Amino acid sequence: MDSSVALGRLELARPLMTRGSCLPEGGQSAHLNGCVPLSHQVAGHKYGVDKVGILQHPDGTVLKQLQPPPRGPREMQFYSMVCAEDHCDPCLVDLKTHLPKYYGTWSSPDAPTDLYLKLEDVTRRFQKPCIMDVKIGQKSYDPFASQEKREQQIRKYPLMEEIGFLLLGMRVYKVGSDSYDTYDQHYGRGLVKDTIKEGLSKFFYNGDILRKDAITASILEVQKILQWFEGQSRFSFYASSLLFVYEGVSMPNHVSQTVRENPIAPEACEQNNNINQSLSMYSLHKKGCGRSHYQAKQDNGVWRSSQQPNGNHSVARLEEDRKESKSEAGQETVSDVEVKMIDFAHVFTSDVPDQGYIYGLKNLLKVLHQILEE
């Protein structure tokens, strides 16, 4: 968000910090209808601190406040396009599986013009969710950014082009102390080529062991996203992230089943969230937001075959190891890791593969493999 959906974001140059509650005060919270700041957010704009932020709705969904035009309307249009129920575009159908579920928009009756994207909280089914937000790509600014904006983004992390990703934050459950270690963006920006592996490995260390099961599952999920990117040449993503979540409770059979037992309440799809209604509210911005950017191109359903990403383990081998691990733990139905794409305020149509994002995914996979194999 410029941040996180369902989320969390976060710190190495500055040591650990614990995030406290930032509930809105007095009249500021009067129109929120029971919504509260997202307690497990690890990166991005925070409610009560920035002009826009992330909230938790009483029904369990996440509310991401719409950013000013053209970013906010552009992100809303992207979600509306990908998650439309009446399309059968194979490229978009596949992409949808890598995004949090989208329930349209929400606004309070007392402030109907303050729109929020209503999204799935992908951490909801976990008892002790470990959360990591990683910005992907060689550039964190889009082609229409001003020179000042470009220089500003490059100064924030000069190694972005070389490394291809940036750790924005993480929240890691420590089994021994029953507490969380939290790291913010300063931590990630302090990582260099020689320390990126060690910095990323902290996300999978629970104070007792390195969670290789979570690493393996994460690799599999990232490889699926890489396969989608290598098979499409319709979109380019800038300043977009991957949200990683795994269960901090050591034994997988202890993972919460709340996603099955407590599905999203009907209120999640209330009339207030009508997608067409929300789009019409921004009709004046359609030209500036480039709605034409999202005109679907026909690809005749043909996907180019993609090669295996960097790493010594094949997808089949990783899947086999993962199944064996689940079988030994007595878990068969609950996936132990979620990896979702988030933040789409800077997505544009293209006619070539998104090489910057692909480069970042491959480098991230390379580091994950190195952590797994040591």
Side-chain angles (χ1 to χ4, degrees):
M1 299 167 205
D2 290 328
S3 256
S4 255
V5 176
L7 318 226
R9 291 184 168 190
L10 335 252
E11 177 165 281
L12 170 187
R14 264 193 285 181
L16 303 174
M17 59 185 238
T18 304
R19 178 159 294 119
S21 174
C22 57
L23 292 172
E25 299 178 359
Q28 192 177 6
S29 63
H31 68 283
L32 296 180
N33 293 74
C35 301
V36 296
L38 187 65
S39 63
H40 51 269
Q41 183 177 348
V42 298
H45 300 293
K46 297 176 178 61
Y47 197 94
V49 178
D50 300 291
K51 292 182 179 180
V52 294
I54 309 290
L55 295 172
Q56 184 94 49
H57 192 279
D59 66 12
T61 57
V62 166
L63 302 175
K64 178 181 180 181
Q65 192 168 3
L66 215 63
Q67 299 179 69
R71 293 173 297 168
R74 186 189 294 133
E75 183 168 31
M76 179 174 62
Q77 290 174 4
F78 178 79
Y79 269 114
S80 299
M81 175 194 64
V82 176
C83 299
E85 296 181 357
D86 58 350
H87 71 67
C88 54
D89 184 327
C91 180
L92 299 184
V93 170
D94 195 16
L95 173 60
K96 183 178 177 180
T97 65
H98 302 304
L99 274 57
K101 292 183 178 62
Y102 176 58
Y103 301 101
T105 60
W106 178 91
S107 63
S108 166
D110 298 327
T113 59
D114 292 341
L115 288 182
Y116 295 79
L117 299 176
K118 202 174 201 321
L119 302 160
E120 170 193 16
D121 181 353
V122 299
T123 73
R124 187 168 181 246
R125 68 177 178 82
F126 297 92
Q127 254 184 282
K128 301 290 185 180
C130 296
I131 307 166
M132 178 171 67
D133 188 321
V134 182
K135 184 180 290 187
I136 305 294
Q138 291 179 283
K139 296 178 181 178
S140 55
Y141 54 86
D142 67 47
F144 301 99
S146 65
Q147 185 62 30
E148 180 183 4
K149 179 69 172 180
R150 296 182 183 209
E151 293 173 356
Q152 177 194 55
Q153 290 298 312
I154 293 172
R155 282 197 304 270
K156 284 184 177 180
Y157 195 55
L159 292 174
M160 191 73 178
E161 186 169 359
E162 183 177 1
I163 294 178
F165 63 89
L166 167 62
L167 175 59
L168 290 174
M170 56 187 179
R171 183 175 187 258
V172 187
Y173 179 67
K174 298 299 182 179
V175 177
S177 60
D178 188 26
S179 63
Y180 287 93
D181 283 351
T182 304
Y183 305 78
D184 71 9
Q185 58 185 321
H186 300 286
Y187 176 84
R189 288 173 183 163
L191 298 175
V192 296
K193 287 182 65 178
D194 294 337
T195 60
I196 190 71
K197 182 178 68 174
E198 179 185 355
L200 200 62
S201 68
K202 289 181 183 293
F203 177 61
F204 299 100
Y205 181 67
N206 67 5
D208 182 23
I209 61 171
L210 184 67
R211 289 289 303 276
K212 290 194 173 184
D213 60 316
I215 301 172
T216 299
S218 296
I219 289 173
L220 286 166
E221 294 303 309
V222 175
Q223 285 176 332
K224 292 175 186 177
I225 294 173
L226 174 62
Q227 184 177 19
W228 182 84
F229 269 90
E230 291 185 323
Q232 71 91 28
S233 57
R234 293 169 56 176
F235 304 104
S236 291
F237 294 72
Y238 302 91
S240 185
S241 294
L242 291 185
L243 183 72
F244 292 75
V245 187
Y246 74 87
E247 178 55 62
V249 176
S250 295
M251 292 301 292
N253 59 323
H254 289 164
V255 174
S256 172
Q257 302 264 355
T258 55
V259 75
R260 293 178 181 273
E261 298 168 359
N262 301 299
I264 294 298
E267 294 89 328
C269 303
E270 56 196 334
Q271 183 66 31
N272 186 267
N273 300 325
N274 184 275
I275 294 174
N276 293 329
Q277 186 179 46
S278 66
L279 284 173
S280 66
M281 293 185 69
Y282 277 98
S283 60
L284 294 178
H285 300 296
K286 285 180 181 177
K287 291 184 178 180
C289 300
R291 178 160 184 165
S292 60
H293 286 316
Y294 298 105
Q295 297 299 321
K297 300 176 185 177
Q298 294 298 324
D299 62 359
N300 299 318
V302 178
W303 287 60
R304 294 191 298 274
S305 60
S306 59
Q307 299 183 4
Q308 292 292 334
N310 295 334
N312 297 327
H313 292 278
S314 68
V315 173
R317 164 74 182 282
L318 287 167
E319 285 283 11
E320 183 178 348
D321 291 346
R322 188 182 185 187
K323 288 178 181 178
E324 289 179 0
S325 175
K326 283 186 179 182
S327 178
E328 292 172 1
Q331 181 206 19
E332 298 178 355
T333 59
V334 180
S335 174
D336 41 15
V337 165
E338 293 276 6
V339 179
K340 296 293 184 183
M341 297 171 60
I342 58 173
D343 304 338
F344 307 112
H346 302 276
V347 179
F348 301 91
T349 54
S350 176
D351 55 7
V352 295
D354 189 344
Q355 295 297 346
Y357 204 105
I358 290 173
Y359 177 88
L361 288 175
K362 287 187 174 182
N363 264 14
L364 178 59
L365 282 167
K366 181 178 179 180
V367 174
L368 290 174
H369 277 298
Q370 290 173 347
I371 296 171
L372 180 64
E373 292 161 7
E374 288 190 352

